[in-house]
Amino acid sequence: MSSEKSKSTNPSTLSAVPPEHDRDLIRVIIADSEAIFRVGIRKIFALEDDIRVVAQVENLAQAVAAVQKFPCDVLLYEITLSNSAGDAISEILDKSPKTRIITVGNDIGEHDTCDFLRRGVTGILSRSVSPDLLVRCIRKVHSGETWLDNRGVNWVIDAYRAQAAQLMAPRNQPRLSEKELQIISGVTQGMKNKDIAHEIGTTEQVVKNYLRKVYDKLGVSDRLELALYCMHHRLLEKARGTMIGTGEPPKQPATPQPMAVPQGPEAVKPNPSNQR
């Protein structure tokens, strides 16, 4: 892999092809530090009637500029173009959310595979991929599918199983205050922080502060995990506390009642510093 990477972000340094007007074409940007690799990939795609390379870039800054300048369906991104491929993926998708990213690299491990997928990558390839599999991957990803090899699929399944086991594992019941139980009740009903604050007579910031403490006590990281924890451990049924706005202990239903799973921007906490 070349150790010299250009820092230029001038659009004139981008190697581009005039845009095509055929809506059936798959428009691809190749982001790779090795010129010989970019040339080889472009020659492979030149044999396909439905794939067109619209730009070639050699560093992250150029890749970010390219996805904003050129209409693009798929970005082939070499993971060594930046110190943190995960952060680079997030930056690119922030600038161009509709672009489908396929990461390319040698020995992409289990941690990186799961991290890339969480960040929005839709395909993961080895640099030793055969030309026919590369073309198939481009078409599958463009059609809305996710491309992984068998090893990657197993890693993802194992990760979800481990997460589910952690959420459902028996734990010592932590002590929760009455105010914390009120807020937990609001979260499980799908209420937003400002609505919970209004019901219990406090501020939205106070609710966020309480949620941070609740997350730490229960070992969860966001509102969705909190709701799942309550459902699996019947937290509100077992704990003594008051329901929002009633001033009475929670009633035991004759039959299990459905729990509202948090929706919207507060469902999953993107920034631990201000969304708890």
Side-chain angles (χ1 to χ4, degrees):
M1 191 72 65
S2 173
S3 61
E4 297 181 359
K5 295 183 173 61
S6 172
K7 301 295 184 181
S8 173
T9 60
N10 189 323
S12 64
T13 66
L14 302 176
S15 175
V17 172
E20 298 285 349
H21 299 287
D22 190 341
R23 294 182 179 179
D24 294 330
L25 288 177
I26 303 173
R27 299 162 298 185
V28 178
I29 292 176
I30 304 172
D32 197 282
S33 61
E34 293 189 7
I36 191 171
F37 188 85
R38 299 194 302 269
V39 171
I41 294 298
R42 186 167 176 175
K43 287 184 176 181
I44 292 172
F45 292 156
L47 300 176
E48 308 299 327
D49 294 334
D50 58 338
I51 301 176
R52 291 293 181 272
V53 176
V54 298
Q56 300 176 77
V57 299
E58 58 185 15
N59 59 48
L60 173 59
Q62 291 180 1
V64 172
V67 296
Q68 296 177 87
K69 180 177 181 180
F70 302 106
C72 168
D73 300 303
V74 178
L75 170 67
L76 274 176
Y77 183 82
E78 179 203 351
I79 62 172
T80 62
L81 285 185
S82 62
N83 293 330
S84 173
D87 291 341
I89 291 162
S90 297
E91 182 179 356
I92 293 169
L93 289 177
D94 181 62
K95 301 297 183 182
S96 182
K98 294 184 179 179
T99 298
R100 299 183 181 277
I101 298 179
I102 299 172
T103 56
V104 182
N106 292 322
D107 300 323
I108 298 178
E110 180 177 1
H111 173 78
D112 286 337
T113 294
C114 295
D115 183 50
F116 293 166
L117 292 173
R118 291 190 185 103
R119 291 177 184 265
V121 162
T122 49
I124 298 177
L125 285 175
S126 167
R127 286 180 73 80
S128 60
V129 64
S130 64
D132 60 326
L133 282 181
L134 172 62
V135 171
R136 285 181 58 191
C137 174
I138 292 290
R139 289 173 177 153
K140 290 289 186 180
V141 167
H142 178 257
S143 68
E145 299 184 32
T146 298
W147 183 277
L148 289 173
D149 60 18
N150 291 335
R151 185 176 61 169
V153 171
N154 289 333
W155 283 339
V156 172
I157 293 174
D158 289 343
Y160 276 103
R161 283 175 176 169
Q163 184 181 40
Q166 183 179 10
L167 288 174
M168 299 179 67
R171 308 175 190 176
N172 293 329
Q173 185 65 54
R175 292 182 62 85
L176 298 168
S177 69
E178 179 178 319
K179 188 74 70 175
E180 289 170 340
L181 288 169
Q182 289 178 314
I183 292 172
I184 292 172
S185 175
V187 170
T188 60
Q189 294 176 54
M191 298 174 66
K192 296 181 179 179
N193 287 347
K194 63 179 180 179
D195 298 323
I196 297 175
H198 176 74
E199 286 289 339
I200 65 178
T202 187
T203 66
E204 186 175 354
Q205 184 59 51
V206 169
V207 172
K208 290 180 180 179
N209 292 340
Y210 270 107
L211 276 176
R212 291 192 189 100
K213 296 179 181 178
V214 169
Y215 292 157
D216 291 339
K217 285 184 178 182
L218 301 183
V220 299
S221 60
D222 53 48
R223 302 170 79 90
L224 179 58
E225 287 191 8
L226 175 59
L228 292 173
Y229 181 96
C230 291
M231 179 173 62
H232 288 300
H233 297 274
R234 302 177 67 187
L235 180 64
L236 292 175
E237 296 179 23
K238 295 177 181 179
R240 297 186 60 182
T242 58
M243 300 296 287
I244 288 180
T246 65
E248 300 176 356
K251 298 179 180 180
Q252 297 291 336
T255 56
Q257 299 298 311
M259 177 175 292
V261 176
Q263 302 291 331
E266 290 187 332
V268 177
K269 166 179 60 56
N271 185 345
S273 64
N274 57 19
Q275 290 294 321
R276 290 190 173 189

